[in-house]
Amino acid sequence: MKILYHGHSSVEIDAMPGSLIIDPFISGNPLSRTKVEDVMAEFVLLTHGHADHTGDAIAIAKQNDATIIAIYELAMHMEKKGAKAHGMNIGGSAAFAFGRVQMTQAFHSAGYLDEEGEMVYAGMPAGLLLTIGDKTIYHAGDTSLFSDMQLFGSKIPIDLAFLPIGDTFTMGPEDAVQAAEWLNAKLVVPIHYNTFPPIQQDAEQFVQKLAEKGIEGRVLLPGEHMTL
Ligand code: NI
Ligand code: MN
C-alpha cells in the first residue's frame, strides 16, 4: 500500500478499498505541500481534538462524503459540524472498508478550539493501531512515552510505527527511541516535529539513534510517500 506523509502528524494511506487520512492538518501547516482540495479519502481518522490534528478534517470529510473516525466526544462534535462520524473509545476496535482500527491510550490533553473560540471537551486523546491487509501500523498520536507500548509490541508484530519526536508537547527523540524499542516496530517514521519553532528536531539524528539500537527508521518529508 502507498503511504503519503503530509507533514506534522498527517499520514494518508491508500488502502484498497477504503483510503484514509490521519490527522489532516494541512492548510494550517506552513510545511505542507498538499492542497486540501486534492485529498481523496473515504475515512478521516483523528487521534485527538487539537487543531494541529483536526485541521482540515471537516472540509476533507465533506468534499469526499467521508466518515470521520474519532473518540466518541470528538466524533459527536464533528457530526455537529455536519460531517459523518463514527465514535469509538480507548481499547475498542472496529472494522471498516480498509481494515481494523483499535483505539489505544495516549497521554496528552484534548480540547477542541471551536470556531467561536470556545474550548470544547474533545474526549481522551488516542493512538491508533491499524490492521490493513496483513500489515499493522501504529500511529501514536500525541503522547508521552508509556510502558504499555511494550504490550502493543508483544501482542502484535508492528510493521510500521509513526512516533512523535517534537518534544515540548509530546515525547522527544530520546523517549521515542525507547518507544520504538518497546514497540519492536520493523520500521519507525518520526512525526510531529519542525512544524513550529518549539518542536524543532533533527529527524536524521533520530534515525541514527534508532540505527544504533538496531531499529530501522526513515524520515519522510512533507509530500513524500513510501510503500509498505
Ligand atoms: Ni495535541
Ligand atoms: Mn499536536
Side-chain angles (χ1 to χ4, degrees), residues 3-122:
I3 296 174
L4 178 59
Y5 181 54
H6 293 295
H8 206 54
S9 296
S10 188
V11 175
E12 185 178 332
I13 302 174
D14 285 332
M16 296 284 267
S19 58
L20 64 100
I21 187 165
I22 303 170
D23 288 355
F25 172 62
I26 293 166
S27 60
N29 180 356
L31 302 182
S32 186
R33 307 183 57 182
T34 308
K35 280 201 186 98
V36 173
E37 314 82 271
D38 294 343
V39 177
M40 288 192 289
E42 288 174 53
F43 296 91
V44 181
L45 279 61
L46 300 177
T47 60
H48 65 294
H50 284 154
D52 61 319
H53 298 260
T54 55
D56 303 292
I58 292 165
I60 290 170
K62 284 184 179 172
Q63 80 195 16
N64 291 287
D65 195 28
T67 301
I68 296 179
I69 300 169
I71 200 139
Y72 176 77
E73 288 82 359
L74 182 57
M76 289 303 101
H77 193 70
M78 293 289 126
E79 212 167 69
K80 211 174 98 183
K81 296 287 169 195
K84 282 198 293 188
H86 184 107
M88 295 183 63
N89 218 315
I90 308 294
S93 71
F96 300 92
F98 57 84
R100 223 169 165 79
V101 178
Q102 184 172 28
M103 204 161 256
T104 72
Q105 70 269 46
F107 288 89
H108 193 64
S109 63
Y112 177 85
L113 193 62
D114 212 325
E115 290 69 26
E116 291 81 44
E118 205 181 315
M119 190 64 89
V120 178
Y121 175 62

